[in-house]
Amino acid sequence: HNDDIKCIALNPANPSIVATGQAAGHDEKEGDPHVRVWNCETFETLAVLGLGNLQRGVGSVSFSPDGSKVLAVDEGNDHTIYIYDLKKKASIASQKGHQDPVLGAEYIPGSNSKFITYGKGHIIFWEQDGNKLVKKSGLFEKHPKPRFITSLAFTAKGEPITGDSNGNLFLWNPNERKISKSKVGAHEGSVYSVAVNGDEIFTGGQDCKVKKFKGDDLSEIDSWQLDAATHGRVRAIAFVGEDIAIGTYNNGMLFGKFGDQPEQIIYGHGAGDLWGGSSHPTDNSFATVDKTR
């Protein structure tokens, strides 16, 4: 890439294949926003998608479950959705997404034609029909509509689970586009990440907590409080086998079993930008510096 990488996705059919989307850059040949598909073991570029079509930057990217298609959302005024065929290395469908910011997009597990986008005040259920994309908005009905939907995951049955800026969790019926179960006040502040492990749902939030819920009724099982001064907010969680990886607002990463004392395996520079770095001339070490220290 030749400018900021805004998003990344792994191919579920071949985890060695990665798609990354970038912002507009200054390179004469490939400076426009685009999606680059590459092999993360050999670093070989397999496809460059969207040059000349994507506007401003690529905000979200996702592979279809069979790995044959890549979904990309640009950052233009209409947040346009593009579907790319990897064999053809070309767009096969596109449609305006939403005028408000779109924060994420994911294919529904088990379907190569259905996917979800979400963001400011909305969740949209999509289906590809040939070269057309049909969209239908999710219905909040009596449930509190959030300012932002901030996270999305899927149960083993393919049911979407969303976390939002109100701290709420919603379990959705994807066919009816309605909320089937809710957990109001799951976190104090935004739910930044949702992950599923077996029949249990795990969340990370603005309140510096990782929580565990039952998948069938969203009742809370346990809560794990991180030190706010050391780690800050929980920005991302993911499972590696039975171990949980936690990315923090202070740019660190914790790793371990839920409920145990986690090991910090990556140390960051807090919320500040990394301004410089230098390797030691003889030792296998390096130093970094930001604007604060």
Side-chain angles (χ1 to χ4, degrees), residues 193-206:
S193 186
V194 180
V196 175
N197 188 33
D199 295 328
E200 295 173 332
I201 298 168
F202 294 77
T203 59
Q206 185 177 350

Side-chain angles (χ1 to χ4, degrees), residues 35 45 90 96 114 129 137 140 211 241 243:
V35 175
T45 295
K96 292 180 180 180
K114 296 181 179 181
D129 182 10
S137 296
F140 288 91
K211 291 190 173 186
D243 292 318

Side-chain angles (χ1 to χ4, degrees), residues 19 21 37 50 54 56-57 60 65 89 91 102 120 126 135 149 154 156 177 185 209 215 228 249 260 278 285:
V37 181
L54 297 163
R56 296 182 186 167
S60 302
K89 298 181 181 179
S91 172
V102 176
K120 183 178 181 180
W126 297 79
K135 65 177 181 178
I149 291 180
F154 295 91
R177 312 184 323 278
K209 293 180 180 179
Y249 186 76
D260 294 342
S278 179
S285 62

Side-chain angles (χ1 to χ4, degrees), residues 115-246:
F115 59 93
I116 291 173
T117 59
Y118 61 94
K120 183 178 181 180
H122 71 272
I123 178 171
I124 299 177
F125 295 78
W126 297 79
E127 184 168 8
Q128 181 185 352
D129 182 10
N131 63 353
K132 296 180 180 181
L133 296 177
V134 180
K135 65 177 181 178
K136 296 181 180 180
S137 296
L139 305 175
F140 288 91
E141 299 181 308
K142 63 180 181 180
H143 301 279
K145 186 176 181 179
R147 179 172 171 78
F148 287 94
I149 291 180
T150 49
S151 50
L152 169 71
F154 295 91
T155 68
K157 298 178 182 179
E159 299 168 306
I161 311 161
T162 58
D164 63 40
S165 55
N166 292 337
N168 301 332
L169 281 179
F170 294 140
L171 183 66
W172 295 79
N173 181 320
N175 297 318
E176 297 181 359
R177 312 184 323 278
K178 296 179 179 179
I179 296 168
S180 57
K181 292 182 177 64
S182 65
K183 179 65 176 179
V184 175
H187 283 267
E188 296 179 17
S190 296
V191 182
Y192 288 129
S193 186
V194 180
V196 175
N197 188 33
D199 295 328
E200 295 173 332
I201 298 168
F202 294 77
T203 59
Q206 185 177 350
D207 52 6
C208 310
K209 293 180 180 179
V210 178
K211 291 190 173 186
K212 178 165 65 171
F213 300 87
K214 289 183 179 180
D216 55 356
D217 62 3
L218 298 185
S219 59
E220 184 174 330
I221 301 172
D222 202 356
S223 180
W224 194 10
Q225 176 72 59
L226 303 184
D227 183 73
T230 303
H231 305 298
R233 307 166 187 172
V234 178
R235 292 306 303 256
I237 55 175
F239 276 90
V240 182
E242 292 301 311
D243 292 318
I244 189 169
I246 304 168

Side-chain angles (χ1 to χ4, degrees), residues 229-287:
T230 303
H231 305 298
R233 307 166 187 172
V234 178
R235 292 306 303 256
I237 55 175
F239 276 90
V240 182
E242 292 301 311
D243 292 318
I244 189 169
I246 304 168
T248 70
Y249 186 76
N250 287 351
N251 297 318
M253 180 175 288
L254 308 174
F255 192 78
K257 302 288 185 184
F258 179 83
D260 294 342
Q261 184 65 32
E263 177 187 2
Q264 184 155 4
I265 59 175
I266 295 177
Y267 291 83
H269 271 269
D273 294 335
L274 182 65
W275 280 23
S278 179
S279 60
H280 193 281
T282 57
D283 292 344
N284 185 25
S285 62
F286 60 93

